[in-house]
């Protein structure tokens, strides 16, 4: 009787979780395995796959400018994310005082994040336009030379970083701010009693308490930035000379422009181990 | 006191700068959309002769490259609403199961939820195309709806789990004693009590699906099946970009998610502490 | 992490719901309000046809017997046609009109879908992979054709082309005869519709600064005169050359570059389709072309922004009068001014063919664009019938409707005064733009673009877009021209090995 009711209870648990489990197996595990296994096949448009071993990887490594995908991932996820998180921390600390207009500023700060990516990329691309954009027109008025922002590798990738910061900085600022506000006031009061100055308070009290949140946010942001497709695709499409491409845009390019699906899958296989390791690290940290 | 004053002045200064940086591009988008063509190239940051021409064009579709735009907006609505519905369904069931029933594998499923949440969707895009192909779903609504359900459900499931856990267990227990079964409890007690959270997660799913670019680009091959973001972005590749029109389309397209977002702002910001909303 | 329950009050619940409903209602209303009314009329007219076709098991055969009875063009049922749109509305109108005329004449329905030109190839690939293909697709970015033919994805169109084969301009046939690696045979896989080559357009007043009225035809005279004018106009911010440089451009840079290589006597592939990059003459031509093109940019004759231009960037630079001269495939720039401002078209600008090479090489490289029928097309017979009727009855109207952007592939059509004399009236007896392209293609030796004859070449120049990338490396990474050329040519070798 007891076992029967327990089985019944488990059954209901499984049935209720079933929709998600099905989705997870069919549309997360299966595609992941598919990506991994198909990367060893030559699969052109409209043909059935042929096993070719590591040919796709060799093809990719010999493809001109594929090495930029690694560099750009490091720039966007390594430099971009950390810069953004650092700025977000400063902003959060600054905002963690009562002042007039805080609510409205907080509401306004959410706007870049509330707006969908494509429209905001539209406006950035228009502002950065080499000939008619806002920046270059202003430069011209001030007698400065025009800069083709999206036409030079260094500035194009920097602009991707700037856009990224522009879009997500408010989000992480508010995230860290919420974390800061959950720190009990008593801790600061006892620090005041000890005669700690502002810097000591921040370094000894605030930072250790906010550190777990900061690390988790950084890891999350790193993973999502590594997988970001839209920013690069709408902003630069990989130009100039395919140098601003990241793995996701290369994969799209190989699949639908070069019509080589095998290479597209292989592109992701370069990225997968990094992502999986980061996710495992993160899952350990988050626990439950 | 003087330190505090100095601090505030610095603060306002920095904030003004950051706000300018954050808001100006959006202002510029709105500005571009109301500028007559002759003024488009001026750098001066206010309109001299504002015109609603671009918006009229968006309504009348009187431009040869955007003939399907209304249909594409409709597609966005269909996909976003359906995603919201499915996401609510899967998340509430799964959330209840994970929160209340300690079945073997509960933690594995929990980890799977988190894994799916953290996983960048773009990794699976090309494989999705092939898999949807196998199921014969490419270029249909279900393909994108399924994809978006997969990627919005984990967050929904997570917050449903939290919300259900916060309901006192006694409510359920007394119902169980009264002879109600789990299904009845779920529909009669859990759903009404978590309704606000359900709405929030539906909104979240709606916004995510509404904004999606990559999966629509990959899975839809007919211009009539595109959603609005793909249509807008594809105007950026044609030879001569009608900037005023693209901006007006962008604004029209941005209004629903922004409204939803601000309507649920309190919730969204509160959810931040959980590292919740996908950025 | 915080565990506070989050509450939404009922009001917000209701608001959110109402908002969703309102948006849905607006969307649905907008959709129904904007459905083109003429389509409804069409369905009324065609109801009979549709039902006939639907009720028979083998529509094609039975329909053919009908044709004999009624002696009108065959009723072969509907077909799906994808076409591209560029920024020129007239092109879309011409295509729509041709399709409507065909529908009215035959009673067959054509489901026409337009895509932005650069979206066409990815969408075609996706459709083929998904096995849900349309029937006819444009070979607008012309590297698509040879690649699809090689992959065995195209239907042989010899029987369609045979009907007007004798009327084709010589050489066009090379640009539609492709190798199918599955059949291990060559065949005719496209109906050629248009020819175009690199042309140059000038603002008359800017160019007058060189002291000449029209540019000489020889290489040095031609370019030095523009550079001379540039020295004067640059003071007003007007550059010498509006040439795109970056790889955001899917086709213009590649075409201009290939034309420069040809003018320097380089042949990247031999007439029997073997890669010819080890030939010292070719290598030298490629190096000279790289030196020349990147030199123009580095020396400031091309606006800095040219590295970000897409295929419309050069057009825009010309339209906004920021350059003296612009090089461009097709006559899209004059076509723009013809519809925008006729005075400009007739009096302020003029078009010149590409100059002769430094050693007098007069060859022009022609892109051949057309329409392809996919192997898995659901309505092959209908599509072929459409192509037959189209070429017979509506082709001329269609290509003239394209505002002279392209040169026709049929001798009988290119003889039309529209192409030979241009759009002349008694008030404006000379058309300084339109006839230049047909006359140049008729009087100078013409070679089809390499990327429209060989699939491997098509891949390197098309999707891989090698030339602008090579130039960008020279410009932004400071790679030496010799190394860059070496790398590019090696890339050709690698890819050619994959297409055996």
């Amino acid at each position: 009787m007891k076992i029967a009711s327990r089985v019944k209870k488990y059954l209901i648990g499984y049935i209720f979780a079933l929709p998600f489990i099905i989705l997870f197996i069919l549309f997360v595990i299966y595609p992941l395995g598919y990506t991994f296994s198909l990367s060893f096949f030559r699969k052109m448009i409209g043909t059935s796959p042929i096993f070719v071993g590591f040919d796709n990887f060799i093809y990719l490594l010999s493809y001109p400018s594929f090495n930029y995908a690694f560099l750009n991932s490091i720039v966007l996820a390594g430099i971009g994310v950390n810069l953004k998180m650092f700025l977000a921390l400063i902003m959060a600390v600054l905002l963690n005082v009562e002042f007039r207009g805080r609510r409205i500023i907080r509401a306004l700060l959410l706007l870049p994040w509330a707006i969908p990516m494509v429209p905001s990329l539209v406006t950035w691309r228009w502002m950065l336009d080499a000939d008619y954009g806002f920046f270059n027109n202003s430069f011209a008025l001030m007698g400065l030379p025009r800069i083709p922002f999206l036409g030079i590798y260094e500035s194009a990738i920097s602009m991707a970083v700037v856009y990224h910061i522009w879009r997500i900085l408010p989000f992480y600022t508010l995230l860290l701010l919420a974390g800061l506000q959950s720190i009990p006031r008593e801790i600061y009061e006892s620090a005041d009693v000890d005669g700690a100055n502002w810097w000591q308070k921040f370094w000894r009290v605030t930072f250790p308490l906010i550190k777990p949140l900061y690390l988790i946010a950084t890891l999350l942001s790193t993973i999502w930035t590594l997988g970001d497709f839209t920013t690069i695709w709408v902003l630069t499409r990989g130009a100039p000379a395919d140098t601003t491409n990241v793995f996701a845009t290369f994969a799209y390019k190989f699949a639908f422009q070069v019509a080589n699906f095998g290479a597209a899958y292989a592109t992701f296989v370069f990225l997968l181990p990094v992502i999986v390791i980061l996710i495992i690290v993160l899952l350990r940290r988050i626990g439950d | 006191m003087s330190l505090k004053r100095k601090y505030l002045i610095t603060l306002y200064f920095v904030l003004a700068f950051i706000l300018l940086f954050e808001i100006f591009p959006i202002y510029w988008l709105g500005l571009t959309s109301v500028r007559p063509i002759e003024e488009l190239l001026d750098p001066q940051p206010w309109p001299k002769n504002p015109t609603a021409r671009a918006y009229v064009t968006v309504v009348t579709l009187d431009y040869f490259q955007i003939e399907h735009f209304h249909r594409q907006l409709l597609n966005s609505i269909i996909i976003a609403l359906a995603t919201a519905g499915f996401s609510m369904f899967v998340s509430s069931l799964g959330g209840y199961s994970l929160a209340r029933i300690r079945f073997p594998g509960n933690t594995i499923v929990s980890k799977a939820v988190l894994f799916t949440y953290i996983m960048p969707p773009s990794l699976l895009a090309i494989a999705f195309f092939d898999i949807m192909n196998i199921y014969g779903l490419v270029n249909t609504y279900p393909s994108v709806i399924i994809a978006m359900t997969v990627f919005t459900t984990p967050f929904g499931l997570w917050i449903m789990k939290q919300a259900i856990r916060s309901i006192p267990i006694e409510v359920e227990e007394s119902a169980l004693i009264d002879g109600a079964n789990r299904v009845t409890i779920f529909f009669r007690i859990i759903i009404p009590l978590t309704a606000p959270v359900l709405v929030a997660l539906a909104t979240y799913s709606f916004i995510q699906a509404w904004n999606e670019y990559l999966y629509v680009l990959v899975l839809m091959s007919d211009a009539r099946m595109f959603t609005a973001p793909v249509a807008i972005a594809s105007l950026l590749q044609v030879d001569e970009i009608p900037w005023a029109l693209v901006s007006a389309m962008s604004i029209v397209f941005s209004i629903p998610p922004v409204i939803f977002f601000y309507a649920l702002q309190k919730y969204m910001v509160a959810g931040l502490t959980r590292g919740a909303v996908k950025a | 992490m915080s565990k506070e329950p989050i509450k939404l009050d009922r009001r917000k619940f209701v608001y959110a719901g109402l908002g969703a409903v309102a948006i849905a209602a607006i969307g649905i209303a907008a959709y129904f309000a904007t459905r083109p009314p003429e389509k409804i009329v069409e369905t009324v007219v065609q109801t009979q046809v549709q039902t006939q076709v639907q009720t028979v098991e083998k529509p094609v055969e039975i329909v053919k017997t009908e044709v004999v009875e009624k002696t009108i063009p065959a009723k072969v049922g509907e077909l799906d046609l994808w076409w591209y749109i560029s920024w020129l509305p007239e092109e879309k109108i011409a295509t729509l009109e041709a399709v409507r005329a065909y529908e009215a004449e035959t009673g067959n329905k054509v489901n026409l879908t337009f895509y932005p030109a650069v979206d066409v190839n990815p969408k075609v690939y996706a459709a083929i992979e998904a096995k849900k293909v349309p029937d006819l697709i444009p070979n607008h970015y012309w590297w698509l054709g040879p690649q699809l033919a090689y992959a065995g994805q195209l239907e042989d169109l010899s029987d369609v082309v045979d009907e007007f084969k004798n009327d084709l301009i010589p050489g066009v046939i090379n640009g539609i005869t492709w190798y199918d690696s599955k059949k291990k045979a060559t065949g005719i896989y496209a109906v050629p519709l248009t020819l175009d080559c690199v042309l140059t357009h000038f603002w008359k007043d800017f160019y007058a600064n060189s002291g000449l009225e029209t540019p000489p035809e020889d290489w040095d005279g031609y370019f030095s005169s523009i550079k001379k004018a540039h020295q004067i106009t640059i003071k007003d911010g007007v550059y010498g050359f509006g040439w795109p440089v970056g790889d955001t451009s899917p086709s213009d840079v590649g075409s201009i570059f290939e034309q420069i290589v040809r003018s320097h006597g380089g042949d990247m592939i031999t007439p029997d389709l073997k890669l010819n990059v080890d030939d010292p003459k070719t290598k030298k031509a490629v190096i000279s072309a790289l030196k020349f093109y990147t030199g123009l940019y580095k020396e400031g004759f091309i606006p800095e922004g040219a590295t970000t231009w897409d295929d419309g960037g050069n057009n825009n630079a010309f339209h906004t009068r920021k350059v003296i001269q612009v090089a461009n495939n097709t006559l899209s720039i004059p076509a723009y001014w013809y519809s925008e401002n006729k005075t400009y078209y007739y009096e302020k600008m003029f078009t010149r063919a590409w100059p002769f090479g430094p050693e007098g090489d007069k060859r022009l490289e022609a892109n051949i664009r057309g329409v392809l029928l996919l192997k898995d097309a659901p309505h092959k017979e209908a599509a072929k019938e459409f192509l037959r009727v189209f070429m017979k009855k509506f082709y001329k109207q269609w290509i003239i409707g394209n505002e002279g952007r392209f040169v026709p592939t049929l001798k009988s059509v290119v003889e039309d005064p529209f192409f030979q004399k241009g759009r002349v009236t008694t008030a404006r007896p000379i058309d300084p733009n339109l006839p230049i392209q047909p006359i140049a293609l008729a009087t100078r030796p013409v070679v089809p673009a390499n990327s429209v004859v060989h699939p491997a070449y098509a891949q390197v120049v098309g999707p891989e877009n090698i030339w602008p990338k090579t130039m960008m490396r020279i410009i932004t990474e400071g790679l030496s021209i010799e190394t860059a050329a070496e790398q590019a040519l090696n890339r050709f070798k690698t890819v050619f090995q994959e297409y055996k």
Side-chain angles (χ1 to χ4, degrees), chain C residues 70-182:
Chain C
K70 294 183 185 171
T71 62
I72 55 163
K75 279 199 177 135
V76 284
E78 61 178 335
L79 71 122
D80 304 323
L81 166 64
W82 283 5
W83 209 245
Y84 68 91
I85 30 176
S86 69
W87 52 270
L88 201 65
E90 285 81 2
E91 281 183 302
K92 185 181 176 185
I93 295 166
T95 308
L96 268 175
E97 277 176 356
V99 165
R100 294 261 163 76
Y102 170 81
E103 287 181 335
E105 176 138 355
T106 62
N108 297 320
K109 174 119 179 63
V110 179
N111 302 318
L112 177 59
T113 314
F114 287 101
Y115 291 93
V118 287
D119 273 351
V120 171
N121 294 5
K123 291 300 165 201
V124 167
Y125 285 135
I128 290 173
E129 186 68 19
K131 298 192 176 59
K132 278 185 201 165
V133 291
D135 299 292
L136 297 172
I137 52 167
N139 192 24
H140 182 63
Y141 286 124
W142 52 91
W143 48 82
L144 182 66
Q147 290 204 283
L148 286 184
Y150 183 84
Q153 291 298 332
L154 293 183
E155 185 71 17
D156 192 291
L157 288 171
S158 313
D159 48 338
V160 178
V161 174
D162 277 345
E163 290 182 15
F164 50 85
K165 207 171 186 176
N166 297 328
D167 199 12
L168 282 180
I169 288 172
V172 168
I173 200 82
N174 294 332
I176 53 171
T177 311
W178 296 319
Y179 180 72
D180 181 331
S181 70
K182 283 201 178 146

Side-chain angles (χ1 to χ4, degrees), chain A residues 43 46 68 131-132 151 241-242, chain C residues 125 129 247 308-309 320 469 477:
Chain A
K43 173 148 175 35
Y68 274 95
D131 299 308
Y132 317 108
D242 256 353
Chain C
Y125 285 135
E129 186 68 19
D247 65 325
T308 62
W309 289 354
T320 48
K469 278 179 199 163
E477 292 174 25

